[in-house]
Amino acid sequence: MTEDEFLDEMRDCDALLEGHFILSSGLRSSRYLQCARFLMDANRAERACSAIAVKLREVVGDTVEMVISPAMGGVVVGYEMGRQLGRPAIFFERVDGEFTLRRGFELPEGVRCIMVEDVITTGLSSRECIEAARKFGANVIAGCCLVDRSGGKADIGVPLVALASLDVPNYSPDELPEELKKIPAVKPGSRGLS
């Protein structure tokens, strides 16, 4: 699956939307990614994660021992990456605002992990997940995602492999470009309206 094929499929399943969107940060954008719409088809998820696994092996070889991801957006893609790599996959959850392991999940000391997300925008959640894994003794060697929404600008502290890279600008509500001012703003996604 190429980047263009992936983005075409994202559009086809209404996972890549165009309009005026209020992001969970409060910033505004002309594009919105709802990867859950893409991942709801297991065959699409398999093809996309297979393509990411090929790219990831070019960066880290076959050295990955475990896959970690932050809940909620990284759970499905994290488990599919674990399947593609033949490695166990676990996820971190926020408890009182901090990522931690629950559900009996453990990280063996020094285990070589990759951190997997659906979308990376600023990289904040990814960095927090990586830091949490390190506190549990893991060696996080790389990160990967379906979409790097920063266009390569996000720094997660380890090499980042993305199936697609988009440079989607964000705007504060009082600094909107004229074309966005003309479109009513909507707040989709998991933290706003469905």
Side-chain angles (χ1 to χ4, degrees):
M1 176 178 281
T2 67
E3 179 173 328
D4 287 340
E5 290 168 340
F6 169 69
L7 293 174
D8 284 344
E9 285 196 41
M10 289 280 286
R11 287 181 193 94
D12 289 346
C13 68
D14 293 326
L16 176 55
L17 304 173
E18 310 253 342
H20 181 179
F21 303 100
I22 303 171
L23 306 177
S24 59
S25 64
L27 295 175
R28 306 298 179 89
S29 177
S30 62
R31 283 184 165 174
Y32 187 80
L33 296 155
Q34 182 57 278
C35 285
R37 298 266 319 154
F38 178 85
L39 295 168
M40 66 189 260
D41 180 321
N43 292 319
R44 277 196 300 254
E46 178 182 22
R47 286 193 316 276
C49 289
S50 175
I52 297 171
V54 169
K55 292 176 80 169
L56 180 69
R57 285 185 182 104
E58 293 171 4
V59 176
V60 299
D62 197 28
T63 63
V64 176
E65 297 173 305
M66 206 162 187
V67 175
I68 62 168
S69 56
M72 187 71 208
V75 173
V76 174
V77 70
Y79 276 104
E80 181 58 32
M81 282 301 296
R83 194 172 79 77
Q84 291 295 321
L85 298 172
R87 300 293 186 254
I90 64 173
F91 57 89
F92 281 79
E93 297 174 80
R94 287 195 190 273
V95 175
D96 297 327
E98 303 277 327
F99 277 123
T100 193
L101 292 175
R102 299 176 62 199
R103 303 170 198 280
F105 289 151
E106 295 179 353
L107 287 169
E109 184 71 31
V111 67
R112 293 174 59 85
C113 297
I114 58 164
M115 186 284 315
V116 179
E117 278 264 36
D118 56 353
V119 177
I120 291 178
T121 300
T122 65
L124 178 60
S125 291
S126 300
R127 289 189 302 274
E128 290 173 345
C129 185
I130 290 168
E131 182 58 33
R134 288 179 174 151
K135 286 180 183 174
F136 280 92
N139 176 14
V140 183
I141 58 173
C144 59
C145 61
L146 293 173
V147 182
D148 174 1
R149 195 177 180 278
S150 78
K153 295 180 210 130
D155 179 3
I156 64 168
V158 294
L160 176 61
V161 175
L163 185 53
S165 182
L166 298 173
D167 190 5
V168 182
N170 299 324
Y171 307 97
S172 66
D174 57 342
E175 295 179 356
L176 294 175
E178 289 303 315
E179 62 271 13
L180 281 188
K181 288 179 183 177
K182 297 174 185 175
I183 303 170
V186 295
K187 186 171 183 168
S190 60
R191 295 185 196 167
L193 303 173
S194 57

